[in-house]
Structures are given as structure tokens and as C-alpha cells.
Amino acid sequence: MEIFVFSSRLQFGTSFYVFIKLEPQRLLEGKPTLKLFNPSTMNAFALLTKFYSSMYFYLINYPDLHYLSYLYNYKVRRIDYTKDFMTPYVHELLALLPKNSKKNNRCKLSNGLKKKTYDNYYQCSKAITTTLYDKLNEINEKFTASERACIGSTPDILRLEIQLKKSAVSYRCHKYNIKNNAFQFLISSKKISQEMLESKYRKIIGTGNFYKAYRANKIINNSSFSPAMKKRLTAFLKDLSCNSTNKYSSPTIRSYTAKLEELGIAPIIIPKNWKCPSCIPNPAKLCDDSSEIY
């Protein structure tokens, strides 16, 4: 938990603003962790208690500011939802994502002296930022050796992270009929996170597995589609692999993509020269359906 205090000069005095960056699971455990906060009723009250005791330590000499120990006195300016997918094909999946949506995200090391880069999937708007990245790579970039020792052994993790900014937070308050305070978002996060994470995941990765062309074509040819549709889907996949889909209209792309996903095929072909299996399972099929926040 980090606390920032800002002041602004007014006509009749100075006004102070308190900003808190809260990482629930890290606060509960008291150390860096890969675990994600699950907003169950038990965990929510455990977090409230821990937050109160932590703030009491800061405010013990300022009894007039005791109200700052309660989460419902804080407005939410940003909230992050995230989900981890355990898969041995993290690098392959990131490389398969559309190139126009993949950028280098700069990650500053803790000593502040160097910067290194790692590839991820990144989409940013004024309201929402979506990132899909290699969590192990980020840990090696951001954390010190002692922090990595606290975290312990790390599996291969593909992490989906959604940042809701101020306008997106306001929209969710209206949509779910909740007040904009940290406590309300805490107890409502399960519903909001499931909707956001599932929607974004389907748009980025979809529901099908990733295949090399010959495996995908075999599945299409063994399907119950008409011979004409099989031919069109095979041609569509070939054009996708060559990045030459300009001749297709948006409705046609959506229609063909939906038909491929009916067959369990992601509309992205694994290059034939890659030294990997001919099928990479969709990460969601290797995980449970729970969603978490941090």
C-alpha cells in the first residue's frame, strides 16, 4: 500500500488530497505475491480489517483524520482487474496476436537506472487500457532479487490485465447502480470483473485452439459444413495467415470467424516453420472459470 498526499492552495487556506495505491493481496500477505485477490465476503472483511490497522499506524498521531481509515471514504479513480492463465506457450501466444495491437511496453527496474522492454498485447483508450503479457518476464524486469525470492518459484503465466480509468469507473457506477467508493467496488468486483475479463478475452484470443494450417484444414474438411463453405473457410484461413484479408467485409470476417470457433479453431494460424506442436490449446481451457482482482 502506497500513500500519496498532495496539497493545493486555495483562497482561504490549503486543501490536502490523499491518494492511496492499494494492492489487496500484497497488503494481506505483507509481501510481494503472485496470488490474486479473490473478493469473497471473507476476504473483503479481512482486507477491511488490514486496511484499518495499516492506516491506524499512519494516523495514530492525527485523531482528527481517523475517518481516513475507512475504505468507503475514498473515491475510486482507477481499478485494475486481472486474470492469470497457466500455459507453457506464453511466448507463442503473444507472438500470434495481431501485430498492429502488439507494442513494446517499457518496464522500469526498481533501481531506476535502467529500462528494459518486453513484448505484450496492448490496447489503450481514454477509458480503458488492456494488456496481455508474460508475467514471469515482468517479474524478472521489475522486481529485485530479494523480492523474487519472496515470491518463490514462478510458473509460466499469461496475465490479462484491464485498467478502468476515471470515466470507465463512473460508467460502471451507473451501470451497476453503486456509489463511487472503494468499499462498494470491493464488494461488487466479482460481477464487474467477470464481465470485463470474459469480454476482453473473447475479443483478443477467442474460444478456439490454435492450429497449424494442415490440422485446421483437416478439422474443417471433417465438419458438417457444405463443400462450398468448407472451401471458403479454408481460403479464409490461408488469407489470414498471409495478412491479406482486405478483400473481406467486416460482416464476412465476423461470420467466418464465428464458424471457425464453432469448430474450436482460433482464426489465427501457427506458422508452419515454428518448432512447436501443431495445436496450442486455448489458455482458458487449461484454467478454471474464476476471476480475480488486485
Side-chain angles (χ1 to χ4, degrees), residues 103-120 133-143:
K103 297 182 179 180
N104 283 328
N105 187 31
R106 293 200 170 272
C107 181
K108 194 172 183 179
L109 294 181
S110 57
N111 58 18
L113 299 178
K114 298 180 182 178
K115 286 186 177 181
K116 292 186 178 180
T117 62
Y118 56 92
D119 285 336
N120 60 32
Y133 61 95
D134 180 356
K135 185 60 182 177
L136 177 58
N137 203 346
E138 189 212 35
I139 289 172
N140 291 332
E141 297 281 358
K142 290 181 67 173
F143 291 89

Side-chain angles (χ1 to χ4, degrees), residues 2 8 28 31 34 68 72 76 83 87 93 120 128 132 140 176 181 196 213 231 281 294:
E2 299 179 26
S8 61
L28 285 174
K31 63 178 183 179
L34 281 178
L68 293 176
Y72 52 72
V76 177
K83 185 170 179 63
T87 171
L93 287 165
N120 60 32
I128 299 175
L132 192 67
N140 291 332
Y176 293 96
N181 67 61
M196 294 292 300
K231 186 175 180 179
Y294 77 97

